[in-house]
Amino acid sequence: MTPLPPAEELSKYTETVMAAGRGWQVADVLCRCGPGDPPAEERHSHVSVAAVLSGSFSYRSDKGRAFLAPGSFLLGNVEQCYCCGHAHDTGDRCVAFQCGPEFVEEIAADLPGIKRIAFTTHRLAAHPFLVPTLARIARFTRVGHEEDAEALAVDTVSLALCACHDTDEAPVRAQDESRVAAAIDRINHAPDAGISLSDLAADAQIGRHHFLRVFRRVTGVTPYAYLMSRRLMAAADALFDDDARILDIALDAGFSDLSDFTRRFRAAFGMPPARYRAQRTRRKML
């Protein structure tokens, strides 16, 4: 994403290219801005699909306003101007897949039903179906090899192209965003805790039905779906440790028992946790 902020703000914004190839690159983007900093006005120099790994922020473009939380994806069209702000949190970390239009067109040509490469929305909500891709991206930031990066870039852009054409973003109000940001922060700090809809609504000082509608409008998913995505992400990350028992991983992540964890993990990843771990272990040995 370019241009960079002014020189006096560079210490609050870093962008490190981790891998690159013909028509694409992957960048680790860190922002340390907070509520006391003015919103940053920028422009996408590439087609961008950025996975939000930590932190939350507001994003505004010609398509309106969106709230980005961990587990969601930010979608940007080339030459699109936008504005980012951190009214509710300090800092964020994203992994951005920045691609040329030709790279995206090549991928779109192989996807049935995709007629255009311009994203119709600027966010994919933090839904559990995104967790497998998020887990791959998070692992890549730690132990990824450049030969894996191109396939990851292709898969991530493909996911974004398919998913964004099925979304219908509702308008977001700043007051609703503030309420949901507090709930997101509580979930992110303790996804393993037994947090109920009643608890979150009470914190927001509104009724449960009203809070549910507000949360879904701001994030694109229900509080429960967001909580499940955070638990699955924590479990997938923990499975990278070959010494941890799968039962302990399930319970530590907040699942009630091993069967419930296995069922939900299989639904999200297409395989049971043990096979997922075995595949990761084989890749580490290559």
Side-chain angles (χ1 to χ4, degrees):
M1 292 177 281
T2 58
L4 289 175
E8 63 270 15
E9 298 179 14
L10 284 177
S11 61
K12 294 186 177 181
Y13 182 97
T14 58
E15 181 173 320
T16 305
V17 175
M18 296 184 290
R22 184 170 57 87
W24 64 273
Q25 66 179 26
V26 186
D28 191 354
V29 183
L30 294 173
C31 179
R32 301 173 183 83
C33 294
D37 296 295
E41 297 183 3
E42 303 178 56
R43 176 181 59 84
H44 291 292
S45 58
H46 306 79
V47 178
S48 180
V49 180
V52 184
L53 298 187
S54 63
S56 62
F57 57 95
S58 301
Y59 178 92
R60 189 172 70 253
S61 74
D62 58 352
K63 291 182 173 59
R65 181 186 181 98
F67 181 72
L68 281 296
S72 58
F73 281 77
L74 172 63
L75 309 180
N77 293 313
V78 65
E79 299 299 330
Q80 182 179 46
C81 295
Y82 64 95
C83 182
C84 282
H86 293 76
H88 315 292
D89 198 1
T90 298
D92 65 82
R93 182 187 186 191
C94 299
V95 174
F97 295 83
Q98 301 164 335
C99 312
E102 297 82 5
F103 181 84
V104 183
E105 287 170 357
E106 179 184 341
I107 295 172
D110 289 329
L111 299 175
I114 304 300
K115 303 298 185 182
R116 58 186 182 276
I117 68 168
F119 295 127
T120 56
T121 182
H122 43 209
R123 181 194 63 185
L124 297 182
H127 193 279
F129 85 86
L130 296 175
V131 172
T133 301
L134 283 161
R136 287 177 63 192
I137 293 170
R139 279 195 308 276
F140 178 75
T141 64
R142 297 192 301 270
V143 298
H145 301 288
E146 187 149 347
E147 59 266 26
D148 301 325
E150 186 166 19
L152 183 56
V154 170
D155 288 343
T156 302
V157 172
S158 175
L159 173 71
L161 286 170
C162 292
C164 80
H165 286 82
D166 296 326
T167 59
D168 185 17
E169 297 285 356
V172 175
R173 299 186 305 170
Q175 182 183 24
D176 294 339
E177 185 179 286
S178 179
R179 286 168 168 162
V180 171
I184 289 286
D185 186 62
R186 179 173 178 179
I187 293 172
N188 288 340
H189 276 84
D192 57 320
I195 304 172
S196 69
L197 176 63
S198 296
D199 295 333
L200 297 174
D203 287 347
Q205 298 183 336
I206 56 178
R208 285 174 293 182
H209 182 253
H210 186 191
F211 178 80
L212 182 61
R213 288 191 294 111
V214 166
F215 194 97
R216 186 185 285 117
R217 182 186 304 124
V218 173
T219 66
V221 294
T222 65
Y224 188 72
Y226 183 79
L227 176 63
M228 283 299 107
S229 72
R230 295 291 84 203
R231 288 179 176 176
L232 286 168
M233 187 67 184
D237 190 60
L239 284 167
F240 204 71
D241 179 2
D242 296 330
D243 296 327
R245 295 196 310 159
I246 292 179
L247 174 59
D248 292 334
I249 290 172
L251 297 178
D252 289 345
F255 293 93
S256 58
D257 54 50
L258 184 58
S259 62
D260 177 54
F261 169 58
T262 301
R263 176 176 61 84
R264 293 183 184 278
F265 193 93
R266 187 195 296 270
F269 287 82
M271 65 184 74
R275 190 192 306 172
Y276 179 84
R277 167 183 270 173
Q279 288 188 0
R280 302 282 74 77
T281 300
R282 284 199 295 271
R283 288 188 180 183
K284 285 195 296 182
M285 296 175 62
L286 294 178

